[in-house]
Amino acid sequence: MAKAPTKPVLLTGASGALGRMLARELSALGWTLRLTDIAPFPEPLPPQASFVRADLNDGVALLRQAEGCGAILHFGGVSVEQPFEVVMGPNLRGLYHVYEAARRERARVIFASSNHAFGFQDRPRGNAATTDVEAAFRPDGYYGLSKAYGELMGRMYWDKHGVENVNLRTGSCVPAPLEARMLSTWLSYPDLVSLCVAAVTAPRAGHCAIWACSDNPARFWGRDHRARIGWQPRDNAEAYRAALEGKVSADAVIERYQGGAYTRIDYTREGFSPSDCFELE
Ligand SMILES: NC(=O)c1ccc[n+]([C@@H]2O[C@H](COP(=O)([O-])OP(=O)(O)OC[C@H]3O[C@@H](n4cnc5c(N)ncnc54)[C@H](O)[C@@H]3O)[C@@H](O)[C@H]2O)c1
């Protein structure tokens, strides 16, 4: 593993599922962490970590927390599909505050983007991992739309202000895969940790995007910028195949698209069968 960063690293969303795991694991690597979340940190603080409770909507608080930091691991915000009004504050305005803080500190942003920014991309037919890094955003809801906005914000802040950013197009980051779709989308906790280490410590990142899933043979996604930061996942979901491959829905929309069940939430394009509208995509 790379040496610990010389400057502190700010971790938003620290009280969440991934935030708590990252706080524990990165602290164990000797990193100095500033943790923040709107919810209290529910565990004893790891060594060399401090915690400030704050809302991502509060730009001044973010500027203060980021002071002297070399990188911001941005994992805070609404993390599931929600109405636009709920998503807007933390995920749109909050992201702007993160980028303004990064711009002032010349810090790199590592953004927890999501596969749901591409949820209406078709799943590959056969075994080929066909969706490459340049694929069009096809968000499957307001949550996925906010992640596409976040990636584009990274594009703009790099082009205009030289703020480096690594966009982690996260699949399903849970301790173990739970359904057939996750044979494609699963990202193990150790692979997320090594990805964050690579994203923070790589000498140069520019603006880049990584399909953040483990080395799953059934993955949907192809080329990305992982070589630039020197990341390779080590785990893969195949050991779970026998237990999970029958765990599919009976819904043609869910099974057609990469975003799975999120594509079905508030879906009103009835009257078209998924195959009818194929020609019009
Ligand atoms: N877990 C996954 O499989 C997965 C997949 C794709 C993307 N992601 C992204 O990774 C990040 C972390 O995911 P998670 O599973 O740990 O989610 P989580 O919901 O457990 O954590 C998100 C944290 O953000 C905090 N938060 C929400 N609104 C806030 C606000 N206004 N101000 C400050 N903090 C606020 C919450 O309190 C929570 O602790 C999220 O951005 C999510 O979109 C996760």
Side-chain angles (χ1 to χ4, degrees), residues 15-18 37-38 54-56 75-77 79 112-113 143 147 170-171 173:
S15 305
L18 301 187
D37 201 291
I38 199 167
D55 189 336
L56 287 163
F75 280 71
S79 62
S113 180
Y143 163 73
K147 297 297 186 180
T170 312
C173 193

Side-chain angles (χ1 to χ4, degrees), residues 124-132 216-223 258:
R125 290 150 196 230
N127 289 327
T130 46
T131 309
D132 284 330
N216 309 321
R219 66 189 174 276
F220 301 148
W221 306 306
R223 282 185 302 100
Q258 294 185 6

Side-chain angles (χ1 to χ4, degrees), residues 39-61:
F41 193 70
E43 297 173 1
L45 276 183
Q48 298 189 84
S50 55
F51 177 79
V52 173
R53 194 169 172 188
D55 189 336
L56 287 163
N57 285 290
D58 182 348
V60 174

